[in-house]
Amino acid sequence: FQALAKFVREDTDADAATRALLRIPPNTWPADEAPPLLACLVERIRNIPAAERTSQAAVEAIEFATALADSLPAAEAKLTRAELGELGVRVIRLATVLERMTYDKDALVVKAGKPVEFVLENLDMMPHNFVILKPGSLEEVGLLTETPAMLTGGLERQYVPESDKILLSSTLLQPRQQQKLSFQVPATPGVYPFVCTYPGHWRRMYGALYVVDDLEQYSANPEQYLADHQLEAQDALLKDRRPRTEWKYSDLAAQIEALTHGRSLGTGKQLFQVATCNACHRLDGVGNSFGPELVQLDAKLTPADILKEMLDPSAKINEKFQSHIFELDDGRTITGLIVEESADELKVIENPLAKTEPIILAKRDVLSRQKSPISLMPKGLLDKLTRDEVLDLVAYIASRGNPHHPLFDKEPHDHHAAGH
């Protein structure tokens, strides 16, 4: 940080240095460096002509200065942020998370009626987009992404359905792609959903855009601000504000290895949809058949084995659902399932959730191909569940949906009783 800060202070390669500094986690920035660096940055920004303040260099300078202001005393920070707010357009960075089918932030906050610029970056191995909706329309638009028209012909529309509820949409970002989007924030405060409308993703990949009248007041105490202004989510999926828990097997080992009875069938069945297992798997008449049939799971699989696969899907990938990465001679990288292969060509489905027609790759155009080490099933499916909910879900899958399974008995199963 100190080595790069020198270039900003001396205004030598300051733009490149600012870009690099933004990559360093803010919680590691040395506090004593902030005030002098901030003073230099604010002076530089004041001298940028107004018409050029949406350039990448100006936007990054304002973003960095705003982040530095957080280390100042509260009153001084407020004044600095207010000045920066008047000087430029607020920039919000949003990225996807590798293997998790989620954004790196599940809540964003913006000021009503003000312009913002989103910088989107896809760090995942599959394509994603970013769509902002009117409050209360998340499920309605999400279901539109699963219509036959979107599943077969959605690529031309970037997998964004036709709806008057859509306020902003990005292109379909391929792995490692980035896009900037300018957005005039609505004047009406509220909780606006944002979502990935790539087929099969909406039930898991979404977040809340809080549009507020007073950004400073919200930042000081979000919970109090939301309560005072009665700003409540209209979308059922956004009402659950539970924190995420990155469960590890060791956290649940004792309970899962002793799992014998007393679990809830009803809760497990409900969580099968809440955790979006149904997006790829079918069980007890619910869900899709893009992944392995859960009724036909190997009888030897224990609840512990099932939990391990859910926590780390890439540790052991079913060969039938193994995706491959193809590097083509035109510079493109394609990731998908091989559905057919001949001497001259490959038929590949990029997104099995979308059930689109396979794309045809001529083998002469393929520079390299390798098995993807990453499962199509994302990590983090259990992150928003409690310990008991995880156990109920695993019990439901382990039972193959059988309501008479011993795991749902109120009392321990007596293997010595008559008829057993």
Side-chain angles (χ1 to χ4, degrees), residues 3-281:
L4 289 165
K6 177 171 174 279
F7 290 98
V8 177
R9 286 196 304 271
E10 295 175 0
D11 203 6
T12 308
D13 291 325
D15 296 342
T18 298
R19 195 168 303 126
L21 283 160
L22 279 167
R23 296 281 184 179
I24 300 174
N27 61 352
T28 68
W29 296 354
D32 58 339
E33 288 278 334
L37 195 54
L38 184 57
C40 292
L41 274 169
V42 172
E43 188 58 35
R44 270 186 63 217
I45 294 163
R46 285 189 192 122
N47 292 326
I48 298 173
E52 296 173 21
R53 286 185 194 152
T54 54
S55 69
Q56 182 178 352
V59 160
E60 288 172 342
I62 292 168
E63 181 186 1
F64 185 41
T66 303
L68 282 171
D70 290 341
S71 63
L72 300 176
E76 197 178 335
K78 184 174 181 178
L79 287 171
T80 304
R81 280 196 294 265
E83 181 179 2
L84 289 167
E86 293 304 316
L87 284 171
V89 174
R90 182 153 177 262
V91 175
I92 298 174
R93 288 181 179 271
L94 188 68
T96 62
V97 182
L98 182 66
E99 293 188 65
R100 287 185 176 268
M101 203 189 287
T102 184
Y103 299 108
D104 64 350
K105 302 178 185 75
D106 54 18
L108 304 171
V109 58
V110 292
K111 188 169 182 176
K114 293 284 283 184
V116 297
E117 184 166 277
F118 293 103
V119 179
L120 311 171
E121 191 171 9
N122 185 12
L123 303 176
D124 198 10
M125 293 298 290
M126 63 174 68
H128 297 292
N129 65 15
F130 170 74
V131 179
I132 297 177
L133 310 174
K134 291 180 180 178
S137 64
L138 178 54
E139 184 173 359
E140 176 188 329
V141 174
L143 291 172
L144 287 175
T145 71
E146 298 172 354
T147 59
M150 281 296 291
L151 293 175
T152 56
L155 184 58
E156 295 77 18
R157 296 184 42 79
Q158 310 293 309
Y159 288 108
V160 178
E162 285 188 33
S163 170
D164 60 1
K165 306 295 170 59
I166 292 172
L167 301 177
L168 178 76
S169 61
S170 73
T171 59
L172 187 69
L173 291 175
Q174 297 298 323
R176 298 184 295 281
Q177 280 189 339
Q178 188 180 91
Q179 185 182 3
K180 289 181 183 175
L181 284 174
S182 297
F183 182 54
Q184 182 64 38
V185 177
T188 307
V191 184
Y192 292 70
F194 62 86
V195 63
C196 175
T197 59
Y198 195 51
H201 290 195
W202 75 273
R203 296 176 192 273
R204 171 170 175 78
M205 196 166 178
Y206 58 83
L209 178 72
Y210 290 89
V211 174
V212 300
D213 281 325
D214 191 328
L215 203 53
E216 285 293 334
Q217 194 180 340
Y218 175 93
S219 301
N221 191 334
E223 297 293 336
Q224 191 63 50
Y225 185 93
L226 295 178
D228 291 346
H229 294 79
Q230 297 184 332
L231 214 58
E232 293 182 5
Q234 295 180 34
D235 297 271
L237 287 173
L238 300 187
K239 289 179 181 178
D240 180 8
R241 304 189 70 213
R242 286 187 287 183
R244 293 184 184 273
T245 304
E246 289 196 22
W247 290 110
K248 298 180 181 63
Y249 183 76
S250 56
D251 299 330
L252 300 155
Q255 290 94 334
I256 204 74
E257 287 164 13
L259 200 65
T260 56
H261 71 288
R263 301 321 311 175
S264 167
L265 171 73
T267 302
K269 189 169 185 175
Q270 181 186 15
L271 292 168
F272 185 72
Q273 297 184 63
V274 170
T276 63
C277 306
N278 61 317
C280 287
H281 300 283

Side-chain angles (χ1 to χ4, degrees), residues 348-410:
V348 177
I349 290 185
E350 288 189 272
N351 176 18
L353 296 180
K355 292 176 74 176
T356 51
E357 288 296 311
I359 58 171
I360 298 173
L361 303 179
K363 284 189 172 179
R364 65 176 179 274
D365 299 334
V366 178
L367 297 180
S368 70
R369 69 187 261 188
Q370 59 179 330
K371 289 182 179 179
S372 172
I374 297 171
S375 170
L376 290 169
M377 177 175 163
K379 277 186 176 179
L381 291 175
L382 309 178
D383 284 2
K384 280 212 163 187
L385 305 187
T386 65
R387 186 181 301 272
D388 276 324
E389 286 173 338
V390 172
L391 298 175
D392 285 339
L393 175 58
V394 172
Y396 178 64
I397 294 170
S399 75
R400 308 338 187 236
N402 174 13
H404 307 297
H405 195 280
L407 286 170
F408 305 124
D409 287 351
K410 287 194 167 54

